[in-house]
């Protein structure tokens, strides 16, 4: 990063903190089924129903990029008829390189019949999927380029897209601000549990 990029990033973070509306849930409700495991996603499960109600999101289809061990996929399986989870199941520079854990995750989630796991890089997936989803979740490697590319596709192919780690990763925040600008969608931020960005069509 050079000084100009640093400065741009600084300004965007300032904008994010000061001017992006904070998402305040009206209710917090735990989904019926959760995986018993440690996850950085814990706590966000309490506000998913609130988001779906607030923005009147249909509950048929959901796509998730970044499944890892399945915590967030199971949260979504409480609300949607069909959940697709796309991941390389290898980890990345931020979550750590975990080795191939596709079979492990598949076995752990095998009783959730509405979850379909897809072992794929998001780049290979988005060039061949033209479907529209009610809801999307982006929680892959937390670099600008990947978050922007995957997040833009998700925002253009769903009614509402959420992004994890907006507080802990400035690059995710920066990508999210740019996606909101490109799509004209409304952006909110929930500043807890490492941050959740919420993009909705107006
Ligand atoms: C933070 S973890 C996801 C955690 C999960 N959402 C949860 O909270 O239960 C990030 C995941 O993104 C995956 N990932 C990173 N880059 C990816 C890419 N280019 N395509 C698909 N998956 C990717 C990693 O393999 C890792 O499992």
């Amino acid at each position: 990063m050079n000084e100009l990029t640093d400065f741009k990033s600084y300004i965007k973070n300032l904008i994010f903190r000061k001017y992006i509306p904070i998402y305040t849930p009206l209710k917090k409700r735990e989904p019926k089924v959760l995986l018993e495991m440690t996850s950085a996603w814990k706590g966000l499960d309490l506000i998913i129903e609130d988001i779906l109600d607030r923005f009147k999101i249909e509950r048929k289809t959901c796509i998730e990029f970044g499944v890892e061990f399945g915590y967030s996929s199971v949260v979504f399986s409480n609300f949607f008829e069909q959940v697709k989870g796309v991941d390389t199941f290898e980890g990345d520079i931020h979550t750590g390189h975990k080795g191939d854990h596709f079979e492990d995750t598949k076995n752990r989630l095998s009783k959730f019949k509405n979850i379909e796991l897809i072992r794929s890089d998001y780049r290979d997936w988005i060039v061949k999927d033209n479907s529209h989803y009610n809801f999307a979740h982006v929680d892959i490697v937390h670099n600008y380029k990947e978050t922007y590319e995957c997040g833009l596709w998700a925002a253009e192919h769903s009614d509402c897209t959420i992004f994890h780690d907006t507080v802990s990763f400035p690059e995710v925040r920066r990508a999210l601000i740019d996606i909101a600008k490109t799509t004209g969608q409304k952006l909110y931020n929930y500043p807890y549990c490492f941050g959740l960005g919420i993009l909705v069509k107006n």
Side-chain angles (χ1 to χ4, degrees):
M1 280 228 273
N2 59 30
E3 274 177 21
L4 181 65
T5 327
D6 261 357
F7 180 69
K8 279 187 182 163
S9 183
Y10 169 79
I11 296 293
K12 282 189 174 166
N13 291 338
L14 214 64
I15 293 172
F16 198 86
R17 294 224 169 104
K18 292 250 182 235
Y19 301 108
I20 306 300
I22 288 186
Y23 185 81
T24 311
L26 299 176
K27 59 174 182 288
K28 287 188 178 183
R29 197 175 293 158
E30 194 167 280
K32 272 197 192 133
V33 189
L34 288 173
L35 285 182
E36 297 268 337
M37 67 193 308
T38 356
S39 168
W41 225 81
K42 254 189 189 146
L44 293 174
D45 35 84
L46 298 173
I47 68 160
I48 297 306
E49 191 173 6
D50 190 80
I51 295 172
L52 300 180
D53 287 347
R54 173 91 55 98
F55 300 118
K56 299 185 173 46
I57 305 298
E58 255 199 277
R59 300 186 183 199
K60 288 191 177 137
T61 53
C62 167
I63 187 159
E64 163 166 84
F65 295 95
V67 174
E68 201 177 41
F69 303 125
Y71 187 87
S72 48
S73 311
V74 169
V75 171
F76 300 131
S77 78
N78 284 272
F79 301 108
F80 293 93
E81 286 172 21
Q82 187 194 70
V83 177
K84 277 186 188 160
V86 178
D87 198 307
T88 56
F89 295 97
E90 287 173 352
D92 58 59
I93 48 163
H94 296 127
T95 194
H97 293 282
K98 310 250 160 108
D100 184 346
H101 52 278
F102 178 63
E103 288 303 326
D104 256 15
T105 307
K106 211 169 141 191
N107 288 338
R108 187 173 307 108
L109 303 193
S110 59
K111 63 177 177 207
F112 302 99
K113 300 297 176 207
N114 59 342
I115 301 179
E116 180 191 351
L117 295 183
I118 298 141
R119 191 214 299 251
S120 169
D121 193 293
Y122 80 84
R123 296 172 189 91
D124 301 322
W125 183 260
I126 64 175
V127 290
K128 62 180 184 198
D129 185 5
N130 243 333
S131 326
H132 184 84
Y133 297 86
N134 299 128
F135 197 71
H137 174 223
V138 177
D139 190 14
I140 53 168
V141 65
H142 296 314
N143 294 332
Y144 176 88
K145 184 177 181 296
E146 287 86 343
T147 306
Y148 182 83
E149 194 172 57
C150 182
L152 181 62
W153 183 91
E156 286 173 342
H157 291 79
S158 76
D159 301 320
C160 177
T161 311
I162 58 172
F163 295 73
H164 191 213
D165 283 316
T166 50
V167 169
S168 42
F169 284 86
E171 295 286 278
V172 172
R173 284 205 288 279
R174 205 157 65 80
L176 197 41
I177 290 169
D178 287 351
I179 296 167
K181 212 158 76 181
T182 308
T183 57
Q185 295 185 7
K186 182 102 181 105
L187 173 60
Y188 300 84
N189 188 48
Y190 179 69
Y192 305 100
C193 311
F194 306 103
L196 191 75
I198 303 159
L199 266 183
V200 263
K201 285 188 172 163
N202 294 310

